[in-house]
């Protein structure tokens, strides 16, 4: 009887499986070419050109002048990013915040030209003010976006949850490097 029941179950399921397989085969276009687009740089793809080196030096110098310690980091970190930044090489640094050891990340992106950097900063500003961008950061997040040549410097922090008193100083100091792109409310 068990074998007979199994056959009945198989017989009942077989038409449904055939229909599902036909639908999947009809939906899949195996000969379609992928849409062209800019591939995203893998996390950890470092920004190593002259603009990134100049931005790194300016960031380290400005933070050092304010007695803030910043260093290269191997900690994986990726802030909310508009498409041009998601595809750009980046280097991540971390400011030492003793009361917030998981914060203080500063990201330097390297773009091909100053015009590309300005366009990417505008795209980032628009993205962070949009619905999709807003859901990636808690309400009230302070987004610092600075352009220095063909590099962008990004630092995000949440004033309401700042555990370390130096978090606002990091933002204040970084805003003195290059040109600021403010996020509208």
């Amino acid at each position: 009887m068990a074998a007979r029941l199994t056959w009945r179950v198989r017989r009942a399921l077989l038409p449904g499986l055939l229909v599902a397989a036909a639908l999947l085969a009809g939906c899949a276009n195996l000969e379609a070419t992928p849409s062209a687009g800019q591939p995203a740089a893998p996390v950890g793809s470092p920004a190593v050109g002259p603009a990134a080196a100049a931005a790194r030096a300016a960031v380290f110098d400005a933070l050092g002048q304010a007695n803030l310690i910043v260093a290269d980091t191997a900690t994986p970190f990726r802030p909310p990013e508009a498409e041009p930044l998601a595809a750009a090489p980046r280097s991540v640094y971390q400011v030492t915040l003793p009361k917030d050891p998981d914060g203080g990340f500063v990201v330097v992106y390297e773009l091909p030209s100053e015009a590309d950097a300005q366009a990417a900063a505008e795209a980032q500003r628009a993205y962070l003010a949009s619905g999709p961008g807003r859901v990636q950061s808690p309400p009230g997040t302070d987004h610092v976006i600075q352009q220095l040549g063909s590099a962008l410097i990004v630092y995000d922090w949440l004033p309401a949850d700042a555990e370390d008193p130096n978090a606002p100083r990091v933002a204040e100091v970084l805003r003195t490097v290059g040109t600021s792109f403010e996020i509208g409310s």
Side-chain angles (χ1 to χ4, degrees):
M1 178 140 175
R4 197 170 177 192
L5 181 60
T6 303
W7 170 246
R8 285 185 185 163
V9 170
R10 284 187 209 160
R11 202 167 122 190
L13 291 177
L14 187 59
L17 289 174
L18 290 174
V19 168
L23 285 173
L24 285 174
C27 291
N29 182 354
L30 300 177
E31 295 180 17
T33 56
S35 64
Q38 208 172 17
V43 173
S45 174
V48 294
R56 181 190 187 279
V59 165
F60 276 56
D61 183 53
L63 291 170
Q65 295 278 337
N67 295 320
L68 294 166
I69 300 167
V70 62
D72 295 340
T73 183
T75 303
F77 177 78
R78 196 163 194 161
E81 300 169 320
E83 188 275 327
L85 295 185
R90 72 193 54 75
S91 293
V92 180
Y93 310 105
Q94 189 172 17
V95 178
T96 301
L97 298 173
K99 293 185 179 178
D100 186 10
D102 295 329
F105 291 102
V106 178
V107 184
V108 173
Y109 297 90
E110 187 167 33
L111 287 301
S113 70
E114 287 188 36
D116 290 323
Q118 183 175 0
E122 292 292 349
Q124 181 73 354
R125 177 169 46 185
Y127 177 71
L128 291 172
S130 74
R134 284 185 183 204
V135 299
Q136 292 188 28
S137 301
T141 298
D142 181 15
H143 301 281
V144 177
I145 305 169
Q146 300 296 118
Q147 179 186 356
L148 185 63
S150 62
L152 288 183
I153 302 159
V154 172
Y155 172 69
D156 299 331
W157 70 289
L158 184 60
D161 285 350
E163 297 175 20
D164 195 290
N166 286 322
R169 288 184 56 223
V170 174
E172 184 180 304
V173 169
L174 290 176
R175 284 192 169 101
T176 68
V177 178
T179 304
S180 294
F181 289 80
E182 299 297 323
I183 307 298
S185 300

